[in-house]
Every structure is written in structure tokens, then in C-alpha cells.
Amino acid sequence: MAEARFTPLRERHESLGASFTDFGGWQMPVRYTSDLAEHHAVRQSAGLFDISHMAEFTVEGTGAAAFLDYALAGRLSTMAVGKAKYSLLLAEDGGIIDDVIAYRLDEDRYLIISNAGNRDAVSAALSDRVGDFGVAVEDVSDAYALLAVQGPSSEAIAAAIEGITEVGIGWSDQKYYAWTDAFFLGAPLLIARTGYTGEDGFELLVRSEDAAALWDAVLAAGESHGIVPAGLAARDTLRLEAGMPLYGHELSLTTKPVQAGLGRVVASDKDAFVGKDAVSPSEEARVLVGLVAEGKRAGRAGYAVVAEDGSALGEITSGALSPTLGHPIAMAYIDPASAEVGTAVFLDVRGTKIPATVTALPFYRRTK
């Protein structure tokens, strides 16, 4: 059995009393105090997440843009320097190897951030696709830590962080899905206005050796705003409310992008990209929907979605009692014939049929 890995912030998490859980081979904080308190802090003010387990790759060379147009489902060559884009890494059969965010650092240099559990698969797929594009793909994951400040107070908190200097674009001028450079304690810092909670926020890519100092600086800057360290449990309910798919739940090698509602991510008019000839699912393939249920009992991943007569319609991939909305929500793959918004279905919650309704995603959208 492989030895469990910890991020550079292990001591900080332990000192805060965090409970840990395995996530992609990493021991990550699942909560510090309570899932609900951390969730509500992010919706109402701000939370600080350690997401250093995620993997980072640089792609560099004169053919970088063309290479990523071939290697990923999206069109990365038209993305301007300073921008970021959500994309998919597909297998030859159109299944999803991983969902990633690509940042254009320069004309011929990109940063790719992938899920922790797919680090090896992403590394192998990118390396295998280099061919004659004249690029170098480097796994730089161990050199960096990644922190996420998320919530409506995140901009005010970020602007007050001691030690961050020479911010390329002023905090209030930074756009969503864009990045800027800066320095933290004299070392390069990448600041991206991205996140996975449905709230405004920033992700801060810093040298691993500076991660603890940055963690402390963010908490100090956010103290007057009520910032709290937040774990994976809160992150999961936040992203579920925001209708954001998670690899291993909504996304997998057997999932086609269209099934997951990600058809817009695929630039099917590109001349060629890996998986292009197989991105269309069969007409019978189940599709991802949102479900809102009655009462307080939530369906969980793996629970069945059934018709009134008990016949199977699909399966829940993520579900919870929404902390923000106060009722059960879920994402599920169900038969296309039952996927229209407003369709009445039932959740099989440990033998009890709970009435539910197909609804549009996301469940929650922040007020801008």
C-alpha cells in the first residue's frame, strides 16, 4: 500500500484540530469544526481551503497552443494570455480522463491544473500526445502549494494579505477565470480568480516552502471578516449546490461530455483532437440532472432513482441536505426519457421512496 501523502500544511491543519480523510492518496482535512459552520462561512463571508493535493503541469514550447488544441477537448489556442479556461482531457473513446483548468501564462507557455487522483493519468496522457508538437510537459506539482480563498469577502481579504506585493492587476480589476502575477515574500505568486464553490474567490499558487506563511497571512487578513479554515466536506456541499461536477462522481472514463452537460466545453469544430470521433453518446445514454427532493432525508451517491412503480430510472452521483437551501438536493444520471425539468421521480433512500423533481442546475447561484 502506498504511503499516505500530506500537503506542506499538515502541521497547520493538525494544530487547528482538523479531521483527515483520504482523497486520491492524500490525507486531507475534511473538517476543522463543523461541516455546516464552514459551509455557511464561505457563503456569508469567506473560507480558506488547502487544495495543494491538486496536480500542476507546465506545457511549454512554440507548439504549446496547437498541442493543447489536440490534447484537450477545448480550444486553447484562442485564449488570451492572462486568461483561464475549464477543459476536458478525453480518452480515444470519448470518455473523460479528467477535467482540468488551463491557464495561458505566455504565448508559448500554459499551466494545467488537474485533480489529485488523476495526476498519473493526466501526466501519461499529456506526455503520450506530445508527438511532433515541439513542447515540453513537466509535472511541477511537488514544487507548489495551492490555497483557495472563497466567499463574498475574499477580495477584501486578499487585498489585505501581508507579504503579497507587486500584484500585476489590482484586486478589484481581476476578472473571473483570469490570473495575474505577484510576489509573496519575494517569491513568484500566481493569483487566479477561480474556485469550486460557486462563490467569488481566488486561488493562490505559491512555492511549497512558503505555503505555511501564506496560510497564516490569509487567516490573519481575514480574521476581522470571519474567515475560517474549511475542509473537503464543506467544499463538497458548496460545489454540489453550485452544480459543479466532481471527477469520480459525475465524471469518469465511461462518461461522455454531453452526458454530463459539458457539451459546450468540446470544440467539435476543431480539425482534430483526441476523442473527437467518439464524443457523441448513444441516444439511450443516461444524462446528468439535478434533483430536488421533499422532506429532510437526502439521497446519497449510489442510491437509486426510480419511477412511481419502482422501476429503475438512474442513480445518484452526489447528494446532500443543502445547507444553504434547507432541502435535499442531488445530481444523478437518469434515463433521457425522464430527464426533462419538472419530471416527478422518486429517490430510493434505504428502502423509502422520497418524492423528487428534476430541476435545472445549478441549485444555487450567487448574487453578483
Side-chain angles (χ1 to χ4, degrees), residues 197-365:
T197 61
E199 293 296 336
D200 187 19
F202 298 89
E203 295 181 317
L204 309 171
L205 188 70
V206 65
R207 295 189 312 178
S208 293
E209 55 265 42
D210 295 328
L214 181 57
W215 175 271
D216 294 343
V218 174
L219 289 181
E223 184 174 3
S224 63
H225 294 274
I227 193 173
V228 302
L232 291 183
R235 190 172 172 83
D236 195 50
T237 50
L238 289 160
R239 69 95 191 165
L240 173 58
E241 289 181 345
M244 295 175 167
L246 179 65
Y247 202 90
H249 288 254
E250 286 73 39
L251 308 178
S252 72
L253 273 172
T254 60
T255 306
K256 302 290 182 70
V258 171
Q259 290 178 259
L262 297 175
R264 69 188 184 283
V265 178
V266 180
S268 55
D269 59 338
K270 288 192 299 185
D271 290 339
F273 63 91
V274 177
K276 179 176 181 177
D277 295 334
V279 291
S280 298
S282 67
E283 292 184 359
E284 300 78 23
R286 287 176 170 175
V287 295
L288 187 68
V289 299
L291 297 172
V292 172
E294 300 177 6
K296 297 295 183 182
R297 297 185 66 186
R300 304 293 181 179
Y303 287 12
V305 181
V306 300
E308 187 168 14
D309 64 2
S311 58
L313 298 177
E315 184 175 299
I316 292 174
T317 51
S318 299
L321 178 61
S322 167
T324 303
L325 304 173
H327 56 248
I329 59 174
M331 288 195 280
Y333 278 99
I334 68 173
D335 296 335
S338 300
E340 186 175 349
V341 171
T343 302
V345 298
F346 294 85
L347 312 184
D348 186 342
V349 180
R350 298 183 176 179
T352 300
K353 289 196 332 184
I354 306 294
T357 303
V358 177
T359 188
L361 294 170
F363 302 103
Y364 165 86
R365 195 186 302 274

Side-chain angles (χ1 to χ4, degrees), residues 13-174:
H13 301 322
E14 290 177 340
S15 69
L16 289 165
S19 301
F20 289 82
T21 187
D22 177 80
F23 192 90
W26 292 78
Q27 285 296 303
M28 298 299 297
V30 64
R31 68 183 61 81
Y32 300 85
T33 55
S34 87
D35 304 348
L36 284 178
E38 292 165 21
H39 180 109
H40 288 312
V42 174
R43 287 280 182 255
Q44 296 165 9
S45 178
L48 175 60
F49 298 86
D50 176 13
I51 51 173
S52 303
H53 59 314
M54 299 188 76
E56 293 87 23
F57 303 87
T58 55
V59 177
E60 187 167 10
T62 55
F67 165 71
L68 289 176
D69 277 354
Y70 172 73
L72 300 180
R75 191 184 299 279
L76 285 304
S77 59
T78 57
M79 182 170 64
V81 174
K83 298 295 186 182
K85 192 169 191 175
Y86 179 84
S87 195
L88 297 169
L89 182 69
L90 302 180
E92 291 282 359
D93 66 0
I96 300 171
I97 296 174
D98 202 8
D99 59 333
V100 303
I101 297 181
Y103 303 79
R104 193 163 195 172
L105 304 180
D106 209 334
E107 283 299 319
D108 298 326
R109 190 163 183 260
Y110 291 77
L111 172 72
I112 307 295
I113 297 185
S114 78
N115 287 292
N118 291 330
R119 176 177 173 178
D120 291 344
V122 171
S123 177
L126 291 177
S127 298
D128 288 347
R129 297 170 189 185
V130 166
D132 297 326
F133 282 101
V135 299
V137 177
E138 183 179 3
D139 184 340
V140 296
S141 307
D142 294 335
Y144 294 99
L146 191 59
L147 309 186
V149 187
Q150 299 284 296
S153 298
S154 57
E155 182 182 306
I157 292 169
I161 299 172
E162 294 285 346
I164 294 182
T165 59
E166 301 180 52
V167 179
I169 299 173
W171 293 100
S172 61
D173 293 328
Q174 293 179 32

